[in-house]
């Protein structure tokens, strides 16, 4: 009698393994229905069940996916919830609706699993649905008052929405349950820094560092508090901990430029200054470059194309390259943000005097033709920052530091004032619906880089801007600036100050509470009014 030979154990295992691999490839490629068909016959172990749960979620079978995720989670109550991996996978394929439906279905089936409140809250926050996220996280904390991760996430979110007092109270509550939580001490320190309560903030930073002394993120936040408090001698060395975050230091640590003494001689030493952070940061840190040149260094600057011509105009710089070009041979390297630490024990701690950047004289003359005629006060205007899509923290800061053009309508009522647009990027689209009564001269269509913007600024009497790179550019050029600042201001502007050690021509008008721009604009308007007895 003839027939098909039964498959042996080894052959069966090989076939099963190959089927699992095919299903995984389908998942990775976003082919969720195909993955489900492949994997369903194999569901008798955890690996196959995980694949099937993801495939069901991705193909819209949320109720069944939720049942499987709950079962998998029940088997591993202290591990990361399997819904986390499901969310990560589906995010890569932009299956947002499927993620949310599955998370909510899973939460309905196991409403006491605190891990799901964290995941749904994070998902909603990731997509800008802050109010909904807060509702979810509050419910999680109601069910689990001592939930460490949920409580910290809620507190950080509350702080971002201007509810700093609620956030502080929640974190203090968590510390009563978890006094050894470095994360909670660090988050409380950060929120206290925002509220300008520096001594308390530094106390909690110290406690967090006792508990987790090698955490570079805690050290970095500690540095921000020290710098905001004006304690630069401690702050700049502490700021170097950012270079211990994986991926931040791209060149050998032993060739990092050391801290200099007042009498240090760099004659003939080739120093590569590396591009770092945003344009505003680099424009500010360029002030330290002349001190290296004076000590005999052969300096190469690596900067974005946007500011390359301005950097090349610094006297004594040997070479300027953009980050896409190969770096030249060098003896030392130094990220821009490390320059204050390098010079922190010298008389150059504040850097070169103002102005340390210079516009192209020919371009200044060319851009004069674009300006409104004299007499009249020419005021450059910027109301929004660069959001850097994909960088969640940068987007959160941009939302707080930016306003809507319509909120600047009161400036149009100042007699003898010409408003000149300096805004670029997504916020510039608001000029389609310009406020009634406002006339805004707009030269920006012909601007190629910040060298053009610098030439425009040299034709202005004043720049009025939120906290953007334009503030640094105008300040470095020696032009007067009024900065409209958010409540939880950047460390470099310190707290309780309306002036700046970095730019003598800068005046700061800061929100008296988070998000309150009306009072800021009203004060700026008063500053722009023509001189009169009650407004000298």
């Amino acid at each position: 009698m003839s027939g098909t030979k039964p498959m042996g154990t080894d052959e069966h295992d090989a076939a099963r393994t190959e089927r699992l691999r095919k299903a995984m490839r389908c998942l990775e490629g976003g082919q969720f229905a195909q993955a489900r068909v492949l994997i369903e016959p194999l569901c008798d172990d955890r690996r196959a069940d995980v694949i099937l749960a993801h495939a069901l979620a991705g193909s819209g079978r949320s109720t069944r996916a939720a049942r499987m995720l709950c079962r998998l989670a029940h088997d591993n109550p202290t591990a990361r919830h399997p819904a986390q991996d499901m969310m990560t996978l589906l995010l890569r394929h932009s299956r947002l609706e499927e993620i949310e439906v599955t998370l909510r279905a899973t939460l309905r089936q196991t409403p006491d699993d605190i891990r799901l409140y964290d995941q749904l809250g994070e998902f909603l926050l990731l997509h800008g649905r802050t109010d909904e996220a807060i509702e979810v996280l509050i419910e999680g904390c109601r069910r689990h008052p001592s939930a460490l991760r949920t409580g910290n996430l809620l507190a950080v979110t509350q702080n971002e929405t201007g509810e700093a007092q609620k956030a502080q109270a929640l974190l203090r509550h968590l510390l009563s349950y978890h006094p050894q939580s470095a994360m909670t001490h660090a988050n409380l320190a950060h929120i206290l820094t925002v509220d300008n309560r520096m001594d308390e903030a530094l106390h909690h930073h110290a406690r967090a560092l006792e508990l987790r002394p090698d955490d570079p993120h805690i050290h970095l936040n500690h540095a921000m508090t020290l710098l905001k408090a004006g304690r630069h001698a401690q702050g700049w060395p502490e700021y170097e901990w950012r270079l211990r975050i994986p991926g931040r230091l791209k060149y050998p640590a032993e060739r990092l430029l050391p801290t200099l003494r007042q009498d240090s001689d760099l004659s003939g030493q080739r120093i590569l200054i590396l591009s770092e952070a945003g344009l505003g940061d680099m424009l500010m840190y360029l002030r330290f470059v002349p001190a290296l040149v004076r000590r005999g260094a052969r300096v190469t600057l690596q900067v974005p194309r946007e500011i390359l011509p301005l950097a090349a105009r610094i006297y004594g710089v040997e070479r300027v390259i953009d980050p896409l070009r190969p770096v030249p041979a060098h003896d030392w390297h130094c990220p821009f943000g490390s320059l204050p630490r390098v010079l922190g024990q010298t008389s150059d701690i504040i850097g070169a005097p103002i102005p340390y950047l210079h516009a192209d004289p020919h371009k200044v003359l060319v851009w004069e033709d674009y300006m409104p005629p004299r007499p009249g006060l020419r005021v450059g205007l910027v109301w929004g920052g660069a959001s850097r899509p994909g960088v969640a923290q940068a987007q959160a800061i941009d939302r707080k530091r930016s306003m809507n053009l319509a909120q600047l309508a009161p400036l149009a009522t100042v007699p003898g004032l010409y408003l000149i647009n300096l805004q670029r990027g997504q916020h510039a689209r608001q000029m389609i619906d310009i406020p009634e009564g406002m006339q805004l001269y707009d030269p920006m269509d012909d601007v190629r880089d910040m060298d053009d913007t610098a030439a425009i600024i040299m034709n202005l009497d004043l720049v009025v801007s939120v906290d953007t790179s334009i503030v640094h550019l105008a300040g470095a050029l020696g032009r007067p600036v009024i900065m409209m600042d958010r409540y939880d201001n950047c460390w470099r502007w310190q707290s309780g100050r309306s002036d700046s050690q970095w730019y003598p021509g800068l005046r700061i008008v800061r929100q008296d509470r988070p998000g309150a721009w009306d009072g800021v604009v009203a004060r700026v308007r008063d500053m722009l009014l023509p001189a009169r007895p009650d407004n000298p």
Side-chain angles (χ1 to χ4, degrees):
M1 184 176 180
S2 62
T4 304
K5 182 179 178 180
M7 185 180 291
T9 301
D10 290 345
E11 292 171 298
H12 180 272
D13 289 346
R16 177 186 177 83
T17 300
E18 180 57 27
R19 198 174 182 96
L20 285 168
R21 286 175 180 162
K22 285 182 179 179
M24 278 301 300
R25 287 197 293 269
C26 287
L27 279 186
E28 294 297 328
Q31 299 170 305
F32 297 104
Q34 293 93 320
R36 178 168 52 83
V37 169
L38 282 166
I39 206 67
E40 275 188 305
L42 306 181
C43 285
D44 55 6
D45 65 24
R46 179 176 174 80
R47 184 182 176 194
D49 285 353
V50 169
I51 294 173
L52 179 58
H54 293 177
L56 288 166
S59 56
R61 310 293 180 91
S62 58
T63 302
R64 190 175 165 203
R67 283 199 301 269
M68 296 201 70
L69 291 169
C70 290
R71 191 177 77 241
L72 291 163
H74 181 269
D75 294 340
N76 295 274
T78 60
R80 183 172 66 176
H81 198 289
Q84 180 72 53
D85 292 328
M86 177 276 297
M87 184 169 74
T88 301
L89 173 67
L90 268 61
L91 277 174
R92 293 206 295 268
H93 299 285
S94 301
R95 300 294 184 96
L96 305 185
E97 182 179 352
E98 290 89 342
I99 293 171
E100 182 174 355
V101 171
T102 303
L103 283 176
R104 290 190 182 277
T106 310
L107 186 56
R108 281 195 300 272
Q109 293 184 30
T110 51
D112 284 325
D113 193 326
I114 192 61
R115 296 171 291 178
L116 290 167
Y117 292 93
D118 298 343
Q119 287 164 28
L120 182 55
E122 287 177 345
F123 173 80
L124 293 169
L125 287 172
L126 183 65
H127 296 94
R129 297 162 61 182
T130 306
D131 291 343
E132 294 173 76
I134 288 176
E135 287 182 15
V136 169
L137 295 169
I138 286 175
E139 177 60 18
C141 288
R142 186 188 70 79
R143 290 175 178 269
H144 298 271
S146 64
L148 194 56
R149 188 162 179 261
T150 315
N152 272 272
L153 185 57
L154 175 58
V156 169
T157 306
Q158 287 174 326
N159 182 62
E160 291 293 327
T161 58
E163 296 186 301
Q165 298 309 312
K166 286 185 179 179
Q168 291 174 32
L170 176 54
L171 292 174
R172 293 185 195 281
H173 164 80
L174 287 174
L175 285 173
S176 69
Y177 286 100
H178 308 281
Q180 304 299 311
S181 170
M183 171 178 64
T184 308
H185 281 289
N187 282 332
L188 181 54
H190 171 72
I191 292 171
L192 289 166
T193 299
V194 168
D195 214 24
N196 294 320
R197 295 164 65 176
M198 299 304 182
D199 289 341
E200 288 182 75
L202 289 169
H203 166 76
H204 285 282
H205 275 309
R207 188 74 185 98
L209 288 169
E210 285 175 15
L211 295 163
R212 207 182 292 170
D214 296 321
D215 189 320
H217 296 282
I218 296 177
H219 279 280
L220 180 55
N221 284 330
H222 182 217
M224 297 295 96
T225 300
L226 289 167
L227 292 171
K228 190 173 182 180
R231 295 166 64 169
H232 295 135
Q234 296 168 270
W236 290 124
E238 185 77 340
Y239 188 54
E240 293 296 277
W241 275 84
R242 77 195 188 284
L243 301 179
R244 302 195 191 190
I245 296 173
R248 291 294 291 268
L249 187 62
K250 297 179 173 62
Y251 294 88
E254 62 270 18
R255 305 313 301 165
L256 183 65
L257 187 61
T259 299
L260 302 179
R261 300 187 306 273
Q262 181 64 25
D263 60 352
S264 293
D265 183 8
L266 299 175
S267 295
Q269 297 290 297
R270 299 166 300 176
I271 299 176
L272 171 65
I273 310 299
L274 294 163
S275 178
E276 183 183 23
L279 290 176
D281 298 274
M282 282 182 278
L283 289 168
M284 174 182 159
Y285 293 136
L286 282 169
R287 70 194 316 122
F288 297 104
V289 172
L292 302 179
V293 173
R294 283 201 317 274
R295 287 171 167 79
R298 299 170 56 192
V299 176
T300 295
L301 299 177
Q302 183 194 65
V303 296
R305 287 181 178 274
E306 184 81 359
I307 63 173
L308 196 147
L310 285 161
R313 220 169 278 130
I314 295 176
Y315 179 79
V317 170
E318 186 171 278
R319 184 186 291 113
V320 180
I321 60 173
D322 72 66
L324 298 178
R325 285 187 56 187
V327 300
H330 53 276
D331 301 299
W332 304 100
H333 64 85
C334 180
F336 265 99
S338 294
L339 287 171
R341 184 268 305 162
V342 167
L343 294 161
Q345 297 180 19
T346 75
S347 59
D348 293 293
I349 182 58
I350 297 298
I354 302 296
Y356 59 85
L357 295 182
H358 303 277
D360 182 329
H362 173 70
K363 287 185 177 181
V364 174
L365 293 174
V366 169
W367 282 104
E368 167 66 26
D369 293 337
Y370 286 74
M371 296 295 107
R374 298 289 191 185
L377 189 71
R378 298 172 177 174
V379 177
L381 204 58
V382 182
W383 57 91
S387 60
R388 284 187 278 174
V391 183
Q393 185 178 13
Q395 288 181 310
I397 291 174
D398 184 53
R399 284 193 294 269
K400 290 187 287 185
R401 69 173 171 169
S402 301
M403 66 174 76
N404 194 287
L405 176 59
Q407 294 175 281
L408 291 170
L411 301 188
T413 65
V414 177
L417 191 72
Y418 293 121
L419 295 175
I420 292 93
N421 175 48
L422 297 177
Q423 182 69 57
R424 302 185 79 177
Q426 62 176 358
H427 296 284
R429 298 172 192 157
Q430 296 171 18
M431 288 189 292
I432 295 172
D433 188 22
I434 197 165
E436 185 176 354
M438 177 182 283
Q439 184 177 8
L440 193 58
Y441 292 83
D442 184 19
M444 299 305 287
D445 282 347
D446 295 316
V447 166
R448 295 174 300 173
D449 55 24
M450 276 200 162
D451 206 33
D452 286 325
T453 306
I456 294 173
I457 288 173
M458 294 305 296
N459 282 290
L460 305 179
D461 299 299
L462 174 69
V463 170
V464 174
S465 174
V466 294
D467 185 3
T468 71
S469 58
I470 296 299
V471 169
H472 296 277
L473 178 60
L477 292 166
R479 307 302 295 157
V481 188
I482 297 175
M483 185 177 74
M484 302 176 290
D485 202 13
R486 67 184 195 266
Y487 177 80
D488 55 329
N489 59 292
C490 172
W491 61 265
R492 77 191 75 236
W493 312 124
Q494 297 188 353
S495 58
R497 292 186 65 159
S498 59
D499 64 345
S500 168
Q501 63 180 332
W502 306 110
Y503 306 113
L506 173 64
R507 288 173 288 173
I508 301 170
V509 182
R510 184 166 295 131
Q511 293 175 343
D512 55 14
R513 65 184 189 281
W517 286 118
D518 289 352
V520 171
V521 175
R523 280 180 280 161
V524 171
R525 179 185 179 277
D526 289 346
M527 294 167 74
L528 295 175
L529 286 170
R532 60 190 187 202
D534 61 335
N535 186 39

